[in-house]
Amino acid sequence: MMAMRIFFWLFLLAAPAFLGGCTPETETATPVPATITPLPAPTITTTPVVEPPPLPFDLSNQVVVTPTISLTQQTVFGFTYQNPDGNRFVPGQGQMGHTAPIDIALVGRPIWLVAAPVDGGGSIWTAALEDGQTQSFMVRAGQVVPLALQPGRLPPGAPPLLMIFQGLPKLVTVPTEDASPFTHPVILDGDPANYAYVAQDGDLVVRKDRQTHRFPVNALPDARILQDENGRLLLLTGSTARYPHGVLGDRLEADSITLVGTDPPQILATIPAAGRVVEGIAPIWFDLDGDGAREIIATLADEVSGAQLVVFSEEGEYLAEGPAVGRGFRWRHLLAAAPFGPAGENYLVDNLTPHLDAVTEFMAWQGEMLVPISSVAGFSTHRLGSRNMDRALAGDLDGDGAIEILVPTQAGRGLIALNLINNSVIIGWRIQLNAEATTNIASARLNDESIAVGIGLENNTLRLWHP
């Protein structure tokens, strides 16, 4: 029997590892300008979630392995922004508040977190730490197993992209030092031999069918490359310092959005910001009106009007806009598009001035306008100077059949679920973290369509709510 156990662990260990200055915000807290349509007062009711204490896992004596974790040949990815199109929405049903959270001790302060589902109702989680070190774990059947994923280190501050390919998990990198350290590459067609990345000089590099194509688009150094089901790419380009707000990690913003085909590789469209900038690191590329064609939703800003949400067609047609803040150097953080409407219509959610009043807004697309429906203040989705734009998650995270948006409290030491019911914001439930959140909110839709949710904390802890 002992010989069989030794053989089992030797087999797992032999499984092949897959190859693979920010200016402080000058804003002052001021009333919302009159240019914004007044919103109805939200209905605020709070239902605290009383959770059991986290289940601790002592992993210090466990052997770190990289097992074959999936029997399927499907390629699976884990993005910090949930979906390849940049929409932070996860379908399925979660159990937050109904299951004891799991705490996993880390060796350093986590700043990024990604997850992906595996066979048997399990999931894999990778935390990128402040110094660039990565730690990975498999959670399945109530057990936590440390994993040795490659590479074990990323450039400090770089966001990870998790991939499960041919049953093996790895973090996606490209075999070149030319890639920007502030973003990650993406895989094309589910084949690691085909990929795209942002180069340090701002070029978009597409490697397809053993051919390399470079497009001098002057991409933002931290631009996320979005993807659709047809293999097309979308990213923020035309890097410029003419709008020096400087609250998102550097003083650069984009003056255009570029749509790129990969079959064959070519520029399909460039959408200019028309004298403004796109303030962010990625748009949301989503079929907002349900007509079968994706729209491009982005935050545009200038020194006079500040930020507003704008909807474009893929051809660059200006379709709709929301209210502008009415004052320069005021930001709107675009969060998600999800079926918050009374009949399941997709509404947008953003966070207005997250470093000040931190107002979470729900907006509906009506004609040529994005119309504010309701809002509530006091929940912040971004930390000043951070490149982490993924501190929000939409979905039915507690399994009650209603879609909520999960956002941190303003101090970042709790998570709040916001619902839109009868056109009013309702604070449905809250979870105390007892430590400040330091990562994005990550999720994995498991193979039974349940949702696992996780977040990294300042006390070197990974906390998971795993069905």
Side-chain angles (χ1 to χ4, degrees):
M1 184 69 177
M2 179 60 69
M4 291 181 65
R5 289 182 178 177
I6 293 172
F7 175 79
F8 174 74
W9 283 109
L10 287 173
F11 171 76
L12 292 180
L13 288 167
F18 189 76
L19 297 176
C22 191
T23 301
E25 178 127 32
T26 57
E27 296 179 353
T28 57
T30 57
V32 177
T35 53
I36 293 182
T37 305
L39 305 177
T43 300
I44 301 177
T45 59
T46 302
T47 305
V49 173
V50 180
E51 297 185 305
L55 300 177
F57 279 85
D58 181 4
L59 306 176
S60 58
N61 295 321
Q62 288 200 27
V63 177
V64 179
V65 299
T66 304
T68 299
I69 52 84
S70 177
L71 301 178
T72 69
Q73 296 301 305
Q74 182 180 8
T75 304
V76 180
F77 295 96
F79 298 90
T80 65
Y81 42 87
Q82 312 303 328
N83 294 295
D85 61 7
N87 191 19
R88 302 173 188 91
F89 169 72
V90 56
Q93 288 192 319
Q95 297 179 18
M96 293 189 75
H98 308 299
T99 185
I102 297 170
D103 272 4
I104 302 172
L106 304 172
V107 299
R109 183 174 181 264
I111 59 172
W112 292 106
L113 183 63
V114 287
V118 298
D119 290 345
S123 58
I124 286 183
W125 301 78
T126 295
L129 308 184
E130 200 167 30
D131 64 356
Q133 185 177 177
T134 64
Q135 286 187 265
S136 301
F137 308 90
M138 181 168 66
V139 181
R140 184 161 58 185
Q143 298 298 312
V144 178
V145 179
L147 301 180
L149 267 61
Q150 296 299 321
R153 184 175 295 276
L154 298 171
L161 172 59
L162 176 63
M163 176 176 68
I164 301 174
F165 179 72
Q166 295 181 346
L168 288 174
K170 67 158 294 196
L171 298 176
V172 176
T173 57
V174 291
T176 176
E177 296 181 356
D178 181 41
S180 170
F182 302 114
T183 186
H184 59 70
V186 296
I187 300 299
L188 309 179
D189 309 320
D191 181 354
N194 298 325
Y195 52 83
Y197 66 91
V198 173
Q200 294 186 31
D201 62 2
D203 286 359
L204 174 67
V205 181
V206 177
R207 176 72 175 174
K208 184 73 178 290
D209 299 330
R210 301 183 181 182
Q211 300 293 319
T212 300
H213 309 261
R214 293 187 77 100
F215 300 99
V217 295
N218 193 20
L220 290 179
D222 51 4
R224 304 299 188 254
I225 304 173
L226 305 185
Q227 300 167 278
D228 75 351
E229 61 281 356
N230 298 314
R232 298 178 303 168
L233 311 176
L234 189 76
L235 73 162
L236 298 186
T237 53
S239 178
T240 177
R242 71 168 180 263
Y243 184 70
H245 197 185
V247 297
L248 307 183
D250 55 35
R251 298 173 70 87
L252 300 174
E253 306 299 344
D255 71 5
S256 58
I257 306 170
T258 299
L259 178 64
V260 181
T262 59
D263 190 20
Q266 59 182 316
I267 300 293
L268 299 177
T270 300
I271 304 171
R276 294 183 282 177
V277 299
V278 185
E279 194 170 13
I281 59 176
I284 287 177
W285 192 17
F286 178 75
D287 182 7
L288 187 58
D289 60 0
D291 67 351
R294 291 179 180 268
E295 283 78 38
I296 299 168
I297 309 107
T299 300
L300 268 57
D302 63 27
E303 295 186 7
V304 176
S305 300
Q308 69 181 142
L309 300 188
V310 174
V311 181
F312 294 98
S313 72
E314 291 181 339
E315 295 74 32
E317 181 184 359
Y318 200 95
L319 299 177
E321 63 181 24
V325 177
R327 180 176 177 180
F329 304 108
R330 298 292 186 272
W331 184 48
R332 268 191 165 91
H333 183 189
L334 176 60
L335 302 178
F340 293 105
E345 304 95 332
N346 290 314
Y347 286 0
L348 292 172
V349 186
D350 73 348
N351 198 235
L352 174 63
T353 57
H355 317 123
L356 296 175
D357 301 311
V359 179
T360 303
E361 303 177 308
F362 292 77
M363 293 190 187
W365 183 2
Q366 298 177 7
E368 297 180 355
M369 297 297 297
L370 296 175
V371 178
I373 302 299
S374 188
S375 68
V376 63
F379 309 112
S380 178
T381 58
H382 184 259
R383 285 289 179 255
L384 189 66
S386 172
R387 286 189 164 92
N388 186 346
M389 312 292 174
D390 303 318
R391 291 164 59 95
L393 176 65
D396 180 9
L397 305 178
D398 60 355
D400 67 350
I403 304 297
E404 52 262 351
I405 182 86
L406 187 67
V407 294
T409 59
Q410 202 149 9
R413 297 178 65 85
L415 297 175
I416 304 292
L418 302 177
N419 296 95
L420 188 67
I421 300 177
N422 296 326
N423 285 344
S424 287
V425 178
I426 293 179
I427 302 176
W429 42 269
R430 68 177 65 219
I431 291 176
Q432 298 297 332
L433 299 175
N434 300 317
E436 184 177 349
T438 55
T439 71
N440 55 293
I441 303 175
S443 73
R445 185 187 185 191
L446 308 184
N447 54 16
D448 63 355
E449 298 193 358
S450 61
I451 302 171
V453 179
I455 197 163
L457 305 177
E458 65 177 345
N459 57 358
N460 300 351
T461 299
L462 170 58
R463 181 163 296 171
L464 307 178
W465 293 266
H466 202 286

